[in-house]
């Protein structure tokens, strides 16, 4: 991983810690995201996967609930990693992707249930946190 000096004087990027066990359960053991979330509730990627699956199946309120859970668990993890409420959360760091995906899933589901302010806030938060994630996830 390459780190760059922040020339603008803003906060340094935040990198969440990896959870190799949770990745192994999803990958090598092919456990369903619900089982991984139950064993590792702070692992936002499992919540993002649940939110995406529910959304694709037309269960928007369920998607919203999964995304919100992963988002809040991710915020807790970010704060423990030194994040002060703003600053870059790089998409290219694998452990950050779960939180960023939850943020996008929350924006998408909020839009479907007419939470306009929440939708705009979440998309802006994603864009401010990682322009790369915003480009990748806002479809």
């Amino acid at each position: 991983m390459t780190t760059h000096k922040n020339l603008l004087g803003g906060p340094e990027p935040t990198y969440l810690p990896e959870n190799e066990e949770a990745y192994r359960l999803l990958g090598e053991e092919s456990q369903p995201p619900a089982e991984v979330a139950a064993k590792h509730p702070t692992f936002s990627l499992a919540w993002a996967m649940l939110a995406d699956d529910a959304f694709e199946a037309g269960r928007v309120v369920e998607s919203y609930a999964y995304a919100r859970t992963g988002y809040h668990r991710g915020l807790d993890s970010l704060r423990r990693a030194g994040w002060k409420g703003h600053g870059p959360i790089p998409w290219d760091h694998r452990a950050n992707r779960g939180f960023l995906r939850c943020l996008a899933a929350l924006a998408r589901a909020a839009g479907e249930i007419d939470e306009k302010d929440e939708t705009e806030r979440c998309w802006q938060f994603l864009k401010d946190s990682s322009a790369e994630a915003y480009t990748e996830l806002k479809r």
Side-chain angles (χ1 to χ4, degrees):
M1 167 180 4
T2 304
T3 57
H4 302 281
K5 182 170 175 49
N6 185 340
L7 300 177
L8 300 176
E12 292 296 318
T14 301
Y15 299 98
L16 291 171
E18 297 282 354
N19 184 333
E20 295 301 333
E21 170 70 8
Y23 287 116
R24 187 184 65 71
L25 292 174
L26 282 174
E28 292 173 27
E29 294 196 19
S30 300
Q31 286 193 8
E35 289 181 25
V36 177
K39 291 177 184 171
H40 298 277
T42 62
F43 187 62
S44 290
L45 179 59
W47 295 107
M49 294 170 77
L50 289 166
D52 290 346
D53 291 347
F55 191 85
E56 290 171 16
R59 300 185 318 269
V60 176
V61 171
E62 188 178 325
S63 176
Y64 182 89
Y66 286 134
R68 182 157 292 286
T69 300
Y71 164 78
H72 281 288
R73 297 310 299 256
L75 286 176
D76 292 342
S77 295
L78 284 165
R79 288 183 187 110
R80 280 193 299 279
W83 186 73
K84 303 291 186 213
H86 64 286
I89 305 168
W91 172 252
D92 64 355
H93 181 64
R94 179 176 74 156
N96 289 352
R97 288 187 175 200
F99 170 75
L100 296 167
R101 282 182 55 183
C102 281
L103 187 53
L106 184 57
R108 185 180 58 236
E112 290 294 313
I113 62 171
D114 263 350
E115 283 268 358
K116 290 180 177 68
D117 290 344
E118 179 82 342
T119 302
E120 292 172 16
R121 182 189 67 78
C122 288
W123 284 127
Q124 188 62 53
F125 183 10
L126 181 63
K127 190 175 188 179
D128 292 345
S129 299
S130 172
E132 186 178 2
Y134 179 82
T135 299
E136 178 74 22
L137 300 171
K138 185 149 195 307
R139 307 178 206 154

